[in-house]
Structures are given as C-alpha cells and as structure tokens.
Amino acid sequence: MGYVTTDDGVEIYYKDWGPKDAPVIFFHHGWPLSADDWDAQLMFFVGEGFRVIASDRRGHGRSQQVWDGHDMDHYADDTAAVVKHLGVQGATHVGHSTGGGVVVRYITRHPEDKVAAGVLISAVPPLMVKTADNPDGIDKSVFDDFQKNTAENRSQFFHDVPAGPFYNYDQDGVEASDPVIDNWWRQGMMGGAKAHTDGIAAFSQTDFREEMKGIEIPMLVLHGEHDQVVPFEISGKKSAEILPNATLISYPGFPHGMPTTEAATINKDLLAFLRR
C-alpha cells in the first residue's frame, strides 16, 4: 500500500498485493467508493497466484480531495501514474460501474501501455444519459437528482442508495445486509463531496461509443440483468455489441453491486477469462 503523485500534483492511494512476478490485475472501483470495494476479488485472486492492484480515484477513499479533475481523462491519467510507478504495464484492467469507464478511457488514452485485456462489470459505457442519438438512455434529470442529493445530504443519500437499488435490497425476496450497507456508506463518506458530485456527470455523460470501436484486445463484459443503477439493456448489452472482441455474460436477477453480493460467481467467471 502506498501513494503516488500525479503529474498535476495529486496524491493517489493504491494497494499492491501479491508476488511481484505474478500476472497483474488492476481493479477500478465504482462511484463513490474506494479500492476497498474490491475486497472479495483482491483476496480471491491473491489466493489464485495473481498480483492485484487497486487504487482510490482522486477525491475518493484515501486519495487527495482535490476540487478539480473529476473526469475520465484525469481518472485515466491517474491510473497511468500508478502503472508507471509500479511498472505494471501489460496488466488486465477490471472496472466496476464508473471504473469500467476508466478502463475504456485508459486503454484508448494510453496506448503506450499494451494492456492485456479489459473487463467491464456493471459498467457505465457506452453512454448512460439520454440524448438525441441515444434515445433509450436515462433522462438527465435522474443524474441531476443524484447530484442534488449528494451535495445537500450526502450522508443520508449514501445510506439510501446501498439500502435500495445498488444491491436490489428494495426488491421482494432480497434480504438486506446491514454490514454491506454500512461498508458502502463508510467508503463513500471517506471521499469528498465535490469529487462525488462532479463524478456523477463524469459517469453519466461521458460518451465512449466511438473509442470503444477501436479497442481490439479481448474484453469481458459482465452485467446483471436486474441492474437498477446501470441497466443492462443500455450498457452491458450495447458495450458487447460495440467492442470488436467482446465476450458477454449476463446474469438474471443480479444487482448492480454484484461483485460484492455475488462474488463467488463473478470471481469464477473472471478467473476463467484470465486463464483462457
């Protein structure tokens, strides 16, 4: 565990576990969380002989709470700083939710790193917000409400999201876990309100469609069919159609936060992809 300073002077926190000569997996977390959200994957893949790396995005978790740079370009450049510092070029990059957008932007913005493969889990690409040429997207008012609630009463909102749609705990027959909800809240409240508010625009309004067409490396797309936060039909399904070399696995009933609640299944399918 340590810190690296980016070219624009931001301290980025990272975890680096496992043998230095082992195959590397770099994990990118979702909004508004931290590298801790990958606990179930970090422990599993270390046990399988991999070197695992996960960083907190700027303004999130233990990284510096700067007021600017909360966009996909800066997120990708911050990743490049960690990769360069640790010398882990050629890794497999795995992103959940917003982190999936970071994976796409890192691959396309930093071609000097010959990434081995990418994995998008419940990820925001290709484009979430509804526009004239993306008519089945989500109305911008939804994300405006997200920003309003984050800015005005973040503590309450960061309870309501995991207690409701993030893990499908608001659905009939789904038993809520208070510790899982509390851990989501803990991670969110570690970060900065400015980063979280700006990050909503980054994950909802960034258009990845054109750049995804040029990603030729193997890409695994994992998505829950009952994802209430990033709906499968507008995200995972479309990403698999756009990416030239994609493998899609969808899961009936799985929620947005499936790396936590469905870790056994996600880890198994990710391991199979890595050992293909």
Side-chain angles (χ1 to χ4, degrees):
M1 295 181 287
Y3 286 87
V4 61
T5 302
T6 66
D7 288 344
D8 61 341
V10 180
E11 291 189 334
I12 300 295
Y13 172 89
Y14 64 87
K15 302 180 184 185
D16 178 12
W17 301 349
K20 300 304 181 186
D21 59 348
V24 178
I25 314 172
F26 197 126
F27 291 92
H28 304 260
H29 65 80
W31 177 94
L33 303 172
S34 74
D36 293 354
D37 204 47
W38 289 112
D39 280 355
Q41 285 69 46
L42 299 181
M43 293 298 292
F44 175 83
F45 284 100
V46 161
E48 292 291 333
F50 289 86
R51 179 180 177 184
V52 295
I53 296 165
S55 61
D56 294 351
R57 277 195 300 281
R58 62 171 59 204
H60 294 64
R62 289 138 296 205
S63 289
Q64 189 174 350
Q65 290 193 21
V66 292
W67 76 275
D68 62 346
H70 308 297
D71 56 71
M72 290 295 169
D73 284 352
H74 280 88
Y75 296 160
D77 293 348
D78 294 347
T79 298
V82 178
V83 168
K84 181 179 180 181
H85 176 70
L86 295 177
V88 290
Q89 292 80 3
T92 294
H93 285 256
V94 180
H96 175 242
S97 194
T98 301
V102 179
V103 169
V104 169
R105 185 55 53 87
Y106 179 70
I107 291 169
T108 60
R109 186 171 169 85
H110 289 278
E112 72 278 5
D113 181 2
K114 306 302 182 184
V115 172
V119 182
L120 308 181
I121 303 179
S122 310
V124 298
L127 174 62
M128 287 195 69
V129 72
K130 182 178 182 179
T131 62
D133 65 348
N134 191 45
D136 53 353
I138 299 171
D139 195 271
K140 185 175 179 294
S141 64
V142 173
F143 304 113
D144 292 342
D145 285 343
F146 260 64
Q147 288 186 311
K148 183 175 184 293
N149 287 323
T150 299
E152 293 182 357
N153 194 348
R154 190 167 59 123
S155 182
Q156 182 64 54
F157 190 50
F158 283 8
H159 173 271
D160 295 344
V161 172
F166 199 90
Y167 298 112
N168 286 352
Y169 287 159
D170 56 351
Q171 301 296 295
D172 291 341
V174 180
E175 184 178 354
S177 167
D178 288 336
V180 168
I181 295 168
D182 292 345
N183 188 44
W184 200 101
W185 184 93
R186 174 192 68 84
Q187 291 180 70
M189 295 305 293
M190 287 170 65
K194 181 65 164 60
H196 292 159
T197 303
D198 290 355
I200 294 165
F203 77 64
S204 65
Q205 298 179 37
T206 303
D207 188 346
F208 300 96
R209 290 175 293 182
E210 284 303 313
E211 64 195 278
M212 291 174 75
K213 294 177 183 178
I215 297 177
E216 297 181 352
I217 63 173
M219 298 289 290
L220 176 65
V221 180
L222 306 179
H223 216 107
E225 294 177 14
H226 201 161
D227 188 326
Q228 298 186 79
V229 179
V230 182
F232 169 69
E233 293 291 333
I234 70 167
S235 49
K237 183 179 180 181
K238 285 190 174 182
S239 288
E241 292 170 351
I242 294 172
L243 291 162
N245 190 10
T247 299
L248 171 65
I249 303 176
S250 64
Y251 305 94
F254 279 22
H256 186 63
M258 63 185 188
T260 296
T261 61
E262 306 292 344
T265 299
I266 301 306
N267 292 349
K268 173 180 65 68
D269 289 343
L270 178 53
L271 180 63
F273 175 74
L274 292 167
R275 290 184 170 168
R276 66 196 183 284

